[in-house]
Structures are given as C-alpha cells and as structure tokens.
Amino acid sequence: MEAKKVTEEEEESWRREIVTSVMRLVSTRLTQTDLISLLLVSPWLYRTLISYPSIWLNIDLHEMTNAGDRLLAALSLPRYRQVKHINLEFAQGVVDSHLKLVKAECPDALLSLECLNLNGCQKISDNGIEAITSICPKLKVFSIYWNVRVTDAGIRHLVKNCRHIIDLNLSGCKSLTDKSMQLVAESYQDLESLNITRCVKITDDGLLQVLQKCSSLQTLNLYALSGFTDKAYKKISLLADLRFLDLCGAQNLSDEGLGHIAKCNKLESLNLTWCVRITDAGVITIANSCTSLEFLSLFGIVGVTDRCLETLSQTCSTTLTTLDVNGCIGIKRRSREELLQMFPRLTCFKVHS
C-alpha cells in the first residue's frame, strides 16, 4: 500500500511537472483570449499559468470594443505588472480619460512597457499622450498612425517622458510640423525606424534635421509626401545602415537625388512608385550600388525602359524577389521563363497590361 502511495505521488508530481512545462511552451503561442479561457479550466491550472510572468507580457485589445475599460481592468491585475507590449490598434472606446485613469490608478503598471500601439485611436489627443507616456520610462516602440488630433505638443510630451524610442510611427498625423521633426532629431539619435507617411506639413527643413542627426535609421517611410525636394532627398545618403525606403509619390525626386540615395548600399527594399521624374539613369545608379535589393517598385514611371531592367539583372539577379514595373510602358512583356532567366529568385513580377 505504501509503495502504491509513493507511486501515485510520483505520478502526480510527474504530471504536474510535464503539464507545466507543456503549458509554458504552448501558452506563448496562444491568443490572449485563449489564455484567459484556460484560467477557467481548473484552480490548479489557474495557479500554474499565473505563476509564469513571461506568459503575461502582452495585452492585446486591437479592434475590441470598450477597450479603454478593458485596459484599466487588465492593468489592475497583478499578473500584468510586467507587461511589455500593449496593442490598442483600431480599438474602440479609448479616450484620453482612460489613459489619465491608468496614470492615476496604476502608476507603476507600465514601468516595463516597451511597445505601445495606439494606431487608429482617433480620440486620443496630446493630453492622452502626456498621461500615458509619463509612466512608460522604458518605451522603445510608439505607434500612433492615423491620428489628426495629435500636434507638436504631443510629440514634445513623448520626447520628454520616453528617452529610449527606436521605432516611431507617426503616419497620418497630419497636424505635425517641422517642430516635431526637430524634437525627434534632438531626442532620438539612436532611432532605427521612422514613418511620417502623409505628414503633409513637414518640409525639407524638418526632414533634414532627422537625416542629419538620426544616422542609425534602418527604415524610413516617406510615402505620399510630394512636397520634399532633392535638397532633402540627397541627405538620405547620410543613412549608411538604411535597409527600407519608401518614396512613393516623390514627384520632385530627380535622377541626381536618386544618385545620392544610391550611396545607401545596404538597401533591401525601395519603393519608387510614381516618382515620375526618374529615368533609366537613376535606376541604373541604384542597380550598380544597391546590390542587395530584394524589393523594387518602379510603378507608374514612364521614363524607364528595358535598359535599366538589364542592368538590374546583372547586379541584383541573386537577391531581387519582387519587381513592380506596372505602368512602365517602356518595359516590354516577358514570359515567366524569360523573367526567371534574368531574376532566378523572382516570386512577384508586375507588368503593365
């Protein structure tokens, strides 16, 4: 009887150890909703899951309703005291008052937060940014895409409160001006990624401040910003580590400006869609210098011909996987076999109809 009892105890211990190990592996792959559902399975499983802080590093409320109240409820729970990532992308029901309540009621809850996604939270203003950033001293990634309420004052609060930002997405924040770029340039010289898509009030002078001081940039998104000129574009050459560059709609970019950008010879992705002043000369300069290109879009550029394509096939044939020449009327149709001869790794090729 005693031997049997010991065996049962050993089996129970083994079961708990194995199940616990399995849950640690599986739980990192489960959604937050599934994890919370597991808490209701049994008291033992609840205790087991709660005992692993690494499981509770994310709060994902994207596209949810009443997200402001859900955020407050989550942060009131001890298991989220080491949360590193909060995603409120396109969440509904998030306003400034929720972020102020987080600061008032959970001032220590976000001391470890590294990533905050407020994309599409259009009711958040400068006041909300001031409140939430004041309790996130370790924040590294901040995204507030498509918010027209945020002004330079909001960016001033951000740079004052969060000194370690390396990834900043301000896409669609149309009220921001060169002042915001000055603040970013002076405060985040280790910045690695910047997205100012459709920030139409930013001029050459604002962009130049970033290019001259944020030399660690690897990703730069200037999509749909037609106001910049070669004065700023030429200084992109200062970004020696640049991998991703989106210049879609850069109507003032010339071959000369593109020639300077070609000095960024680590480029892997380059979007020149609707850069209508570009010709073969500019693309050939890129091809000869940026031999690690994996993605290139020349969409809508009528000034390029097969000549630049032939150069690309000589210099980027081992790396290029996506090439968009839709609307490039000077580039002829080719069969799949012909394309693969020129670009063996090509998986996506778009050509005009």
Side-chain angles (χ1 to χ4, degrees), residues 7 21 27 66 95 97 154 167 281 332:
T7 300
S21 298
S27 61
N66 302 316
V95 297
S97 59
D167 189 328
K332 70 178 183 180

Side-chain angles (χ1 to χ4, degrees), residues 232-274:
Y233 291 134
K234 289 179 180 180
K235 294 300 181 181
I236 292 176
S237 63
L238 297 173
L239 308 179
D241 293 319
L242 196 65
R243 263 75 171 179
F244 174 99
L245 178 61
D246 192 333
L247 294 172
C248 176
Q251 297 178 11
N252 298 317
L253 176 64
S254 71
D255 286 336
E256 183 182 359
L258 193 56
H260 284 263
I261 291 171
K263 295 175 184 178
C264 303
N265 57 17
K266 295 181 182 178
L267 270 177
E268 297 172 359
S269 178
L270 178 60
N271 187 356
L272 296 176
T273 296
W274 294 119

Side-chain angles (χ1 to χ4, degrees), residues 295 299 322-328 339 346 348-352:
F295 174 98
F299 183 107
T322 301
L323 179 59
D324 189 348
V325 293
N326 191 22
C328 301
L339 286 171
L346 205 63
C348 182
F349 182 78
K350 300 178 182 177
V351 68
H352 65 90

Side-chain angles (χ1 to χ4, degrees), residues 165-235:
I165 297 292
I166 59 172
D167 189 328
L168 183 59
N169 184 355
L170 304 174
S171 172
C173 296
K174 297 182 178 181
S175 297
L176 300 184
T177 72
D178 289 344
K179 181 61 181 178
S180 285
M181 294 300 96
Q182 178 188 348
L183 292 166
V184 168
E186 291 175 349
S187 305
Y188 299 141
Q189 295 183 16
D190 292 326
L191 194 66
E192 296 177 4
S193 178
L194 176 64
N195 188 339
I196 53 172
T197 291
R198 293 194 172 94
C199 292
V200 292
K201 291 185 178 181
I202 297 173
T203 71
D204 279 347
D205 292 337
L207 180 57
L208 279 169
Q209 293 188 72
V210 171
L211 297 176
Q212 290 166 345
K213 294 184 179 180
C214 302
S215 59
S216 296
L217 276 170
Q218 297 179 27
T219 296
L220 180 60
N221 199 324
L222 305 178
Y223 182 98
L225 292 170
S226 59
F228 295 141
T229 72
D230 278 350
K231 175 185 175 182
Y233 291 134
K234 289 179 180 180
K235 294 300 181 181

